[in-house]
Amino acid sequence: MSPGDSVKTTVVDTFRAKAEAVNAIVQEVPSKAAALQYIVDVCASKSPAEILADEPDAEQGPPGPNNMPTRVKRIVAAPELDDADFATLSAACEAKGFICLRNGLRKHLAGIDVGVSTGILGVAASGTCMVNCDKEDVRLAGMICEIHVVFLRKSTIHPDLPSIASQLRQRIGEGVTYTTLISGPSRTADIERVAAVGVHGPLELHVILLED
Amino acid sequence: MHEAPNSLSDYRKQIDSALQDDFLRRTLDTFAVAYRANRETIFKEVDERALINQIAESRDKACQRMEELFIQFREKAEKLGVKVHRAATADEANEIIARIARENNVKRVVKSKSMTAEETQLNERLLKDNLIVDETDLGEWIIQLRHEGPSHMVMPAIHLSRYQVADDFTKVTGTKQDTDIQKLVKVARVQLRRKFIAGDMGVSGCNFAIAESGTCTIVTNEGNARMVTTLPRVHVVIAGLDKLTPTLEEALTALLVLPRNATGQRLTTYVSFIHGAGECQASPNGKKTLHIVFVDNGRTEIARDPLFSQVFRCVRCGACANVCPVFRLVGGHKMGYIYIGAIGLILTYFFHGKDIAKVLCQNCVGCEACKNVCAGGIDLPRLIREIRSRLNDELGNDTQAALLGSVMKSRKLFHSLLKFAKYAQKPFTGGTQFQRHLPAIFLGKHGFKALPAIASESFRDRWESIKPIVPNPTQTVAIFSGCAQDFVYPEELEACVKVLGANNVAVEFPFDQTCCGLPLEMMGQRKTSQDVAEQNVRAFAAGKYDAIITLCASCASHLKHNYPNLLEGRPQVLAAAKAFAEKVTDFSSYVHDVLKLGPDNFRNSGEKVTYHASCHLCRGLGVKEAPRALIASAATYVPCEEEEVCCGFGGTYSAKFPEISAQLLEKKLLNVSATGASRLVVDCPGCVMQLKGGVEKQKLGVKVTHISELLAENLKR
Ligand code: SF4
Ligand code: SF4
């Protein structure tokens, strides 16, 4: 399947529109390096993560919006990056005084600042990213963070749900134990049907669209 | 925790208190209107009907193969390190899960939403073992704190206000909480994060158990299911056997409809596919302990039932409650037991037994709104009627229903009683067309509306004198009058005959016809309802006519859709019943679509006329355009808000649940008044009876007529 350029543009546009409709922030960046820099910038500009539960070793700052102490050292988790990218990100984080992790996220279930995932594919019709969460740390990175950043290659965006069936089946066949389709940040409307984001998982979802 | 009404009067008391709950009423009102609009928008992007049909077909097939799918799933899943259990009953399922907890030395259980766990009442069982059990879906957690059951399958706490939630959260945290909803949500974020971390065992539901690969699919918006299935070292999935789905494709197709129907979303925020026991760093061996408990609880038996097996098309989207006018008034606690809304009435009977279901099952006005939106295309109102009939067989008839049944068995007895009523009512009508106290032959108490009087001369008595003479007819039709028009509103039929006659249609009126039988069906009187159907089929030699016209939307939809089903077991009339059903046409469709009458055929009176779309016409028969076009041909049509929402008549329903019927009427009349129209036209004498009665009682000064009368008055000569 090699759809023409104009078709591809439409699919990307649709993806963006539908993802934004569910409160995702969609960004296009020129290069992988820019994407990594984006993570550092996002982490720097957010308010530090609140520590929602006991974490004895965490250095505590002033209370955040929900009256929980905040992290003095911000945490970025990127379990899926390859060695080179992780080294780049890690160095950039260090320069800012952030902790950059690849594993061991169970120690920080009280909450981290940014979690980074790699989307395997996208679904335009619903603004969805599919993430392979086989590894527990990958799953946790997207769950316990305040901002979830997902990298997605434009060429992997499919038009709709039925069109991802064979890809999804293939993953499952390969023995991937946990796969999640993600559309927007976690949300609820359980109190008076008023929409609220960030109930258990991320408060924000950023999708970074990458050229191939 | 869950309460079921014992008697109708007990139930009506409960309903009364729900009707007094202003917050609930306001919430459900806004919700009903917003839901309808959102749903319409979000379905524009897909082919709704095609998808629903696809789901229905694939679910039906899956249901036939339930056993096979279970074996396939088990084989696949066990290879992936999953322990698969099967529980014959709800209790057995609970015992299995309690045992898993014991064997794994579990102290704290965190749950994500599962209707099946609600069905088995799992929490109560786990609490007995002194386990700490916490719901983690925000709505479920709130109602757990309040010791209540869910009032909606998707939004379990929709009946509560932010103030109530703030109080509950104040109690549980020991700190005064703000009533700001965004803040309350964050309180839950903090509190529940700690519970996720502390949990030893997670219990989740499962939306689709994909048999080809042994995969569980779980759908949530909050992300709590991902926490519940990831953090604790043990994970137990509880699923009804009906969740077995042959392939991934079927799950993905259903996912195009489920979120759209449930919450007007294109897709829920998270859809997770759990395929075997994965990595879990909280376990000593680094692997999750994963169990799946399939619950039967009567499902294999239902799967064998040719009619009721369609309940397994249900994807638990909750839409049948969202559009239900009764739910909108009384809320989920009064319209279900654990499962809620139309499907709730049905599943209560199967999963929780006839004693709990017997009264609840009566509370359906039969408006078909649910059937129209069901993700699986389940014929919910029909199944509800069917259950009433079974309940009558199992528990014995209630007296009112039995009396009706015995009267209706004989057309002559029924008709002579109606004529008798005409004399008996004389002292009460005070000379107007309304009587204040109808002798209770087939109607109960209706304080909220004036009741019509039996006409001094029925349509059948007038027939000879009004029968049109059509020398060269283009078509020949027969009239099916229905009781209401024959005996209460013969003028509506007379108007119809006038319109038809003037357009070269020969009209006949077979005298042996009787009540269509829908009231009997509504009261569960199956046998008599079949007798009456047979009599009507025999009364009309359908082959002789181009069409059988009826002016009553309820009769029309009953004759057309239910007769062939009802008479399935009577081979001697079945073919005739099908031919008969084929010919049945509602008045508006016949005049608009067959005779093609339009602006050229009527004098436009310029009168401001609004419309009430009868349930059985707009949904039952899918007729929407014809009546509106006809009104616009003869007058100025002013659309009404919520034109397609039930007026609350529902035949015998308004006698059983007068309080609900009155509220529906009230709402309708508010909308009608707001149009400023001087006339309201309707396609159904039942609705005319309800609306005319309400208008008279409230002295609204709006004229209510059948559409046939509007057309007859403005016929061009
Ligand atoms: S038919 Fe109407 S009243 Fe009955 S359950 Fe369905 S929506 Fe509710
Ligand atoms: S019966 Fe139909 S509408 Fe009701 S919850 Fe089930 S699928 Fe949804």
Side-chain angles (χ1 to χ4, degrees):
Chain A
M1 192 177 68
S2 72
D5 275 357
S6 61
V7 175
K8 211 64 203 174
T9 319
T10 324
V11 171
V12 172
D13 289 346
T14 309
F15 176 88
R16 174 194 289 279
K18 303 303 180 194
E20 285 173 353
V22 289
N23 308 83
I25 293 165
V26 182
Q27 297 284 353
E28 290 188 43
V29 295
S31 63
K32 195 63 178 284
L36 297 175
Q37 187 54 45
Y38 182 91
I39 294 169
V40 181
D41 294 345
V42 157
C43 188
S45 60
K46 76 188 280 294
S47 47
E50 282 186 292
I51 306 172
L52 305 179
D54 281 347
E55 189 180 312
D57 301 336
E59 200 182 326
Q60 298 190 352
N66 306 300
N67 244 338
M68 292 289 119
T70 51
R71 290 198 182 274
V72 173
K73 278 181 103 58
R74 303 178 187 212
I75 301 180
V76 175
E80 284 178 289
L81 292 189
D82 61 27
D83 292 349
D85 286 343
F86 185 75
T88 313
L89 180 66
S90 197
C93 284
E94 207 166 310
K96 293 273 187 184
F98 309 156
I99 299 170
C100 188
L101 298 172
R102 258 178 135 172
N103 47 39
L105 293 183
R106 273 211 182 245
K107 289 205 225 63
H108 308 288
L109 296 176
I112 63 172
D113 290 276
V114 180
V116 184
S117 304
T118 306
I120 296 167
L121 57 81
V123 182
S126 47
T128 303
C129 300
M130 181 162 110
V131 178
N132 174 342
C133 309
D134 193 48
K135 282 183 59 190
E136 186 180 278
D137 279 315
V138 175
R139 224 176 305 155
L140 292 175
M143 278 161 51
I144 60 170
C145 58
E146 291 191 346
I147 298 184
H148 187 200
V149 178
V150 180
F151 293 159
L152 187 67
R153 282 185 298 127
K154 285 184 185 173
S155 64
T156 62
I157 301 178
H158 290 58
D160 54 18
L161 217 44
S163 61
I164 69 165
S166 62
Q167 282 244 31
L168 181 52
R169 172 177 285 110
Q170 193 189 331
R171 303 278 151 186
I172 290 173
E174 286 163 1
V176 176
T177 60
Y178 209 115
T179 308
T180 302
L181 304 174
I182 301 177
S183 320
S186 76
R187 64 176 58 240
T188 185
D190 271 355
I191 306 177
E192 294 192 13
R193 292 179 45 254
V194 173
V197 293
V199 53
H200 298 302
L203 311 174
E204 291 178 20
L205 174 73
H206 296 223
V207 181
I208 311 296
L209 294 177
L210 299 168
E211 301 295 339
D212 289 340
Chain B
M1 188 160 128
H2 307 277
E3 45 171 346
N6 268 318
S7 65
L8 192 60
S9 60
D10 179 21
Y11 187 33
R12 279 177 49 186
K13 265 186 223 127
Q14 291 182 17
I15 285 173
D16 245 354
S17 75
L19 289 174
Q20 309 296 329
D21 183 341
D22 284 341
F23 173 78
L24 183 72
R25 293 285 299 275
R26 246 194 346 265
T27 308
L28 296 182
D29 256 356
T30 349
F31 172 52
V33 175
Y35 173 78
R36 207 165 32 224
N38 292 344
R39 185 182 187 279
E40 203 182 309
T41 316
I42 209 82
F43 266 105
K44 285 208 177 108
E45 295 164 10
V46 290
D47 185 344
E48 179 185 350
R49 280 300 128 193
L51 284 172
I52 289 176
N53 290 340
Q54 230 174 307
I55 293 173
E57 200 180 313
S58 72
R59 300 297 309 150
D60 284 353
K61 279 199 198 129
C63 163
Q64 294 318 309
R65 296 173 51 210
M66 202 181 257
E67 210 50 53
E68 188 191 322
L69 293 177
F70 170 73
I71 293 167
Q72 189 186 11
F73 185 99
R74 184 176 56 194
E75 203 175 293
K76 295 280 176 188
E78 287 188 338
K79 279 202 188 111
L80 301 164
V82 183
K83 182 86 183 71
V84 179
H85 308 256
R86 177 168 177 154
T89 62
D91 284 344
E92 209 177 302
N94 293 343
E95 288 313 319
I96 292 171
I97 297 172
R99 197 180 64 227
I100 296 170
R102 224 167 29 242
E103 287 170 359
N104 288 281
N105 201 16
V106 166
K107 304 261 173 327
R108 290 168 178 270
V109 178
V110 278
K111 281 180 71 206
S112 68
K113 208 160 108 84
S114 155
M115 285 309 291
T116 314
E118 295 278 351
E119 172 191 328
T120 66
Q121 311 202 6
L122 174 65
N123 289 7
E124 283 82 337
R125 173 64 190 83
L126 296 181
L127 290 174
K128 271 197 204 141
D129 288 357
N130 295 318
L131 293 165
I132 298 169
V133 183
D134 289 301
E135 295 288 349
T136 64
D137 171 87
L138 176 55
E140 290 281 341
W141 187 50
I142 296 169
I143 59 170
Q144 185 189 25
L145 294 175
R146 302 174 62 85
H147 308 284
E148 290 178 1
S151 69
H152 189 280
M153 296 202 292
V154 177
M155 292 160 292
I158 192 173
H159 59 292
L160 298 170
S161 73
R162 64 189 78 187
Y163 305 100
Q164 289 166 299
V165 175
D167 285 348
D168 296 327
F169 283 10
T170 299
K171 253 184 249 157
V172 73
T173 57
T175 327
K176 177 84 191 141
Q177 299 297 344
D178 201 311
T179 56
D180 179 86
I181 290 176
Q182 302 298 333
K183 287 192 178 141
L184 288 170
V185 167
K186 296 302 185 321
V187 172
R189 181 181 172 89
V190 176
Q191 296 298 319
L192 292 171
R193 179 70 62 92
R194 295 167 183 182
K195 296 189 190 293
F196 291 126
I197 295 172
D200 311 298
M201 177 166 113
V203 174
S204 76
C206 167
N207 297 81
F208 308 99
I210 302 172
E212 63 167 338
S213 53
T215 308
C216 288
T217 308
I218 306 177
V219 169
T220 69
N221 273 319
E222 297 184 359
N224 59 318
R226 299 222 307 150
M227 295 277 191
V228 159
T229 59
T230 298
L231 295 188
R233 59 196 155 81
V234 183
H235 173 200
V236 179
V237 180
I238 176 167
L241 279 171
D242 54 302
K243 294 292 155 54
L244 285 159
T245 305
T247 66
L248 180 61
E249 277 77 2
E250 279 135 331
L252 292 177
T253 305
L255 282 171
L256 291 174
V257 177
L258 167 59
R260 285 187 160 81
N261 233 15
T263 45
Q265 290 174 281
R266 294 185 178 90
L267 193 60
T268 33
T269 307
Y270 301 105
V271 180
S272 290
F273 298 85
I274 299 180
H275 182 67
E279 183 185 356
C280 178
Q281 292 170 21
S283 287
N285 67 355
K287 261 201 148 191
K288 179 80 77 186
T289 304
L290 180 53
H291 293 259
I292 301 181
V293 180
F294 282 101
V295 183
D296 190 324
N297 201 20
R299 285 172 172 83
T300 44
E301 199 179 318
I302 305 171
R304 282 195 290 268
D305 187 304
L307 180 62
F308 279 102
S309 56
Q310 61 181 302
V311 299
F312 295 140
R313 296 178 193 164
C314 176
V315 296
R316 309 278 187 264
C317 66
C320 53
N322 301 351
V323 299
C324 173
V326 175
F327 172 85
R328 176 174 173 178
L329 284 174
V330 304
H333 284 153
K334 303 289 172 267
M335 205 201 176
Y337 181 61
I338 284 170
Y339 294 101
I340 285 157
I343 191 73
L345 301 188
I346 299 163
L347 293 182
T348 301
Y349 172 81
F350 285 108
F351 294 151
H352 303 288
K354 51 180 183 275
D355 286 330
I356 289 173
K358 68 178 186 228
V359 179
L360 285 174
C361 267
Q362 311 302 321
N363 201 0
C364 158
V365 65
C367 72
E368 308 214 342
C370 51
K371 174 181 170 183
N372 211 38
V373 299
C374 174
I378 307 174
D379 192 346
L380 296 154
R382 176 173 175 205
L383 299 188
I384 294 170
R385 289 196 303 271
E386 191 69 33
I387 285 175
R388 289 182 192 156
S389 151
R390 291 193 181 191
L391 282 167
N392 276 342
D393 291 347
E394 291 165 4
L395 299 171
N397 272 332
D398 75 62
T399 22
Q400 213 190 352
L403 182 68
L404 182 73
S406 63
V407 168
M408 305 283 271
K409 247 181 222 144
S410 150
R411 178 189 72 77
K412 291 212 173 93
L413 174 60
F414 173 50
H415 285 170
S416 59
L417 277 172
L418 282 172
K419 285 180 185 165
F420 169 74
K422 179 178 78 191
Y423 299 111
Q425 77 194 357
K426 275 261 162 71
F428 304 107
T429 53
T432 72
Q433 216 205 342
F434 290 95
Q435 57 164 30
R436 307 291 180 260
H437 314 274
L438 189 83
I441 283 184
F442 62 105
L443 296 169
K445 284 186 208 143
H446 299 248
F448 60 92
K449 66 177 183 218
L451 282 172
I454 302 291
S456 56
E457 197 181 11
S458 68
F459 180 73
R460 54 180 67 230
D461 292 339
R462 294 182 195 189
W463 176 245
E464 276 313 316
S465 58
I466 59 165
K467 187 175 171 171
I469 315 245
V470 183
N472 296 308
T474 50
Q475 294 227 316
T476 301
V477 302
I479 299 263
F480 182 88
S481 68
C483 343
Q485 279 166 334
D486 194 351
F487 291 92
V488 182
Y489 299 124
E491 62 274 17
E492 298 175 359
L493 285 169
E494 234 173 284
C496 154
V497 170
K498 189 173 157 200
V499 174
L500 298 182
N503 286 282
N504 271 329
V505 178
V507 188
E508 295 188 13
F509 181 74
F511 265 63
D512 273 349
Q513 60 181 290
T514 183
C515 170
C516 70
L518 183 59
L520 292 160
E521 271 296 297
M522 290 290 284
M523 298 184 85
Q525 299 294 301
R526 175 55 49 81
K527 168 79 174 53
T528 316
S529 131
Q530 286 165 329
D531 292 347
V532 161
E534 180 170 346
Q535 172 163 2
N536 281 325
V537 170
R538 290 189 188 283
F540 286 77
K544 273 172 58 188
Y545 307 115
D546 294 300
I548 296 170
I549 308 289
T550 167
L551 276 72
C552 173
S554 302
C555 298
S557 117
H558 185 57
L559 302 175
K560 212 167 177 62
H561 299 317
N562 300 338
Y563 268 28
N565 294 329
L566 278 171
L567 295 175
E568 198 121 74
R570 301 192 180 183
Q572 67 283 8
V573 279
L574 186 56
K578 286 183 180 159
F580 173 86
E582 191 67 25
K583 289 279 164 72
V584 170
T585 313
D586 66 282
F587 172 76
S588 287
S589 297
Y590 184 74
V591 172
H592 183 261
D593 303 346
V594 180
L595 298 183
K596 307 226 178 289
L597 300 194
D600 294 345
N601 307 88
F602 303 101
R603 176 182 68 85
N604 195 312
S605 67
E607 183 185 9
K608 277 174 90 178
V609 175
T610 191
Y611 179 59
H612 162 62
S614 302
C615 303
H616 290 127
L617 195 75
C618 68
R619 283 179 292 275
L621 297 172
V623 176
K624 299 188 176 219
E625 199 209 315
R628 291 172 172 110
L630 289 170
I631 296 171
S633 304
T636 303
Y637 165 50
V638 229
C640 181
E641 272 303 307
E642 304 207 66
E643 210 163 82
E644 298 190 345
V645 173
C646 183
C647 68
F649 179 62
T652 48
Y653 181 87
S654 62
K656 229 167 206 165
F657 295 102
E659 296 84 0
I660 296 178
S661 177
Q663 293 296 327
L664 290 171
L665 175 60
E666 175 94 31
K667 240 196 145 64
K668 183 53 75 173
L669 293 178
L670 274 174
N671 287 329
V672 168
S673 295
T675 64
S678 54
R679 185 200 288 230
L680 168 63
V681 304
V682 194
D683 257 302
C684 178
C687 305
V688 170
M689 192 182 290
Q690 174 90 341
L691 294 163
K692 218 176 195 169
V695 162
E696 162 79 4
K697 181 92 183 178
Q698 296 190 16
K699 304 267 174 272
L700 289 184
V702 177
K703 188 171 171 186
V704 184
T705 71
H706 196 279
I707 192 166
S708 65
E709 295 168 273
L710 176 74
L711 298 186
E713 282 166 36
N714 296 297
L715 255 185
K716 258 191 203 162
R717 322 234 131 231

